[in-house]
Amino acid sequence: MDKIKEQAALFSALADPTWLKLLQILCHQSPPGCRCVNNLSQLMGITQPAVSQHLRVLKTVGLVTGERRGFRMHYMID
């Protein structure tokens, strides 16, 4: 049953338009790499705390990973 719950959380993340847009930005960046929360916030037109909350959900379901670089968190597709 735990596997079913994990899969449901994954599909839920993919169904949310904001989360899907974040994934799309991370997938289609050029050159490949990662983006900081500040940059994602500007691209999405939403606040940095909102972006951080959305990314936390995507990280929980295993779609993105975060890496601290100095004072900023950078995210990439996992």
Side-chain angles (χ1 to χ4, degrees), residues 36-72:
C36 69
V37 173
N38 186 38
N39 181 254
L40 289 167
S41 172
Q42 292 172 353
L43 290 170
M44 296 285 296
I46 57 179
T47 65
Q48 290 177 15
V51 170
S52 292
Q53 294 295 323
H54 293 313
L55 289 167
R56 184 167 24 113
V57 173
L58 295 173
K59 188 175 178 182
T60 300
V61 297
L63 292 172
V64 300
T65 185
E67 176 182 297
R68 183 162 296 282
R69 295 183 181 175
F71 293 107
R72 298 183 183 195

Side-chain angles (χ1 to χ4, degrees), residues 20-50:
L20 194 56
K21 180 67 176 173
L22 280 168
L23 290 171
Q24 188 177 43
I25 289 170
L26 291 172
C27 282
H28 293 103
Q29 63 185 349
S30 180
C34 56
R35 292 191 183 259
C36 69
V37 173
N38 186 38
N39 181 254
L40 289 167
S41 172
Q42 292 172 353
L43 290 170
M44 296 285 296
I46 57 179
T47 65
Q48 290 177 15

